Amino acid sequence: MNDVYRKLVDLYAGQELTEELEAELEAVALTDPELKTDMLTMRATVEALRSEPAPEFTEESYQRVLMRLYAKGVEAQRSPDPTHLQLHLPIQG
Amino acid sequence: MPNDALRDSQAEKRWLDALAKGDPNALGGIYEMYGDRIFRYTYRMLGNRSDAEDATSETFLRVLRRSSELRADGAFRTWLFRIARNLCIDKLRQHKLLELPADAQYSGSEERTTLRVTVQQALQDLPIEYRDPLVLCDLEDMPAREAAEVLKISVPALKSRLYRGRRALKDKLGAAMEIRR
């Protein structure tokens, strides 16, 4: 496979090609098994990577980080919610 | 600018101004805004929760220590990620953290679980110059220009590392990718 196709496959894998170029590349791949394999495996690799679940920033982790900051003498208080998120209850009585 | 981005930008400016004035709530506010993203990034770079928590706390500690350098002009996030990245590199050099995270939790079918563990392991095995762009661009969804600024390289250099990194990852995943086809 030449360098131009290799670069096109890199762009194809990350879905960075225009629809027209993607269709053209797929058409060429129909008659080029090596190109087709590279396109499929590269796109599958990027999809597998992007579908990795995000590590969860749990409340326990949140608190442990705060504790580490406190331990180093930092006053890092949990900030109050911004006013647009605060509930305003009507005054009764 | 979308409303959420505008609101975040205004909140960031407010907290940075407050930090510059010595407001004790300011670091908490910045941590509320960015703690989750910095934790996710450091976890993906280091591969385990404990080191990620440590790197996250140290990142915000450095924000406080270097608050005189802060500028609320949109460059703060880049600067924050750069601090986190430097801390991750230091930790990787110290520990040579290459093993699978002991506390990793994955869900889904056995095949998907295997693939996820494999992707995670393959990512951890990549050299740092490849892992960095993959984590920032493909996992954290950071625009190429900003990721290049974090890494202090040009956008073409970032793209080159990103594409090479994806190919290196493909080579490491080899068999698993064959299964999916």
Side-chain angles (χ1 to χ4, degrees):
Chain A
M1 191 190 321
N2 67 38
D3 279 351
V4 174
Y5 276 127
R6 195 178 164 89
K7 282 177 183 164
L8 285 171
V9 172
D10 286 337
L11 295 169
Y12 176 85
Q15 298 185 319
E16 295 166 72
L17 288 178
T18 62
E19 277 183 32
E20 293 77 22
L21 269 176
E22 186 165 315
E24 273 186 51
L25 193 63
E26 283 172 349
V28 174
L30 290 176
T31 57
D32 186 338
E34 188 193 355
L35 176 65
K36 185 179 177 185
T37 301
D38 199 37
M39 285 166 63
L40 289 175
T41 51
M42 282 306 299
R43 184 165 274 189
T45 300
V46 174
E47 283 173 0
L49 180 62
R50 288 179 178 171
S51 66
E52 273 284 291
E56 190 186 353
F57 192 37
T58 60
E59 180 65 23
E60 289 77 15
S61 285
Y62 177 96
Q63 293 297 343
R64 277 195 293 268
V65 171
L66 269 187
M67 288 301 114
R68 287 175 202 211
L69 288 171
Y70 288 143
K72 296 195 175 172
V74 176
E75 287 182 73
Q77 300 169 21
R78 188 163 211 160
S79 64
D81 286 337
T83 49
H84 67 278
L85 294 178
Q86 291 174 7
L87 290 174
H88 296 280
L89 300 175
I91 297 170
Q92 305 218 342
Chain B
M1 190 183 285
N3 284 344
D4 284 354
L6 179 63
R7 201 174 58 210
D8 284 353
S9 165
Q10 288 170 341
E12 179 188 290
K13 186 175 185 320
R14 188 162 50 93
W15 287 125
L16 292 179
D17 286 344
L19 188 67
K21 289 173 186 161
D23 180 343
N25 285 325
L27 193 69
I30 294 168
Y31 176 53
E32 290 270 321
M33 279 194 79
Y34 288 112
D36 185 14
R37 297 190 63 180
I38 293 299
F39 173 81
R40 273 201 328 251
Y41 170 68
T42 55
Y43 191 115
R44 282 168 160 159
M45 290 297 287
L46 298 169
N48 75 79
R49 185 169 293 275
S50 175
D51 279 313
E53 288 171 0
D54 203 30
T56 302
S57 65
E58 189 60 29
T59 298
F60 288 95
L61 196 62
R62 289 198 185 181
V63 168
L64 190 66
R65 285 180 185 155
R66 295 164 65 177
S67 56
S68 60
E69 300 170 25
L70 292 178
R71 292 178 308 163
D73 62 357
F76 175 70
R77 193 172 74 166
T78 305
W79 184 73
L80 190 65
F81 270 86
R82 204 178 282 162
I83 291 174
R85 175 180 181 263
N86 289 339
L87 287 164
C88 287
I89 289 173
D90 288 347
K91 278 192 173 293
L92 288 166
R93 282 183 185 144
Q94 283 166 15
H95 303 306
K96 294 268 180 201
L97 295 171
L98 292 172
E99 70 277 9
L100 262 181
D103 59 348
Q105 290 180 357
Y106 302 96
S107 57
S109 69
E110 191 175 329
E111 186 182 324
R112 286 198 65 78
T113 303
T114 306
L115 183 63
R116 280 176 183 166
V117 172
T118 309
V119 171
Q120 176 76 18
Q121 187 172 26
L123 194 62
Q124 294 299 315
D125 285 349
L126 288 181
I128 194 80
E129 64 264 31
Y130 291 160
R131 196 187 318 170
D132 250 333
L134 293 178
V135 171
L136 290 173
C137 297
D138 282 331
L139 292 171
E140 288 302 315
D141 213 17
M142 188 179 275
R145 187 185 49 76
E146 191 178 349
E149 283 173 15
V150 170
L151 302 179
K152 290 186 174 177
I153 57 177
S154 66
V155 172
L158 172 94
K159 292 262 181 181
S160 173
R161 286 190 197 179
L162 181 66
Y163 299 147
R164 286 182 191 182
R166 286 173 180 168
R167 285 194 175 273
L169 188 71
K170 183 200 81 169
D171 291 343
K172 287 197 178 289
L173 290 173
M177 287 295 103
E178 290 294 321
I179 289 168
R180 296 188 101 203
R181 287 196 290 131

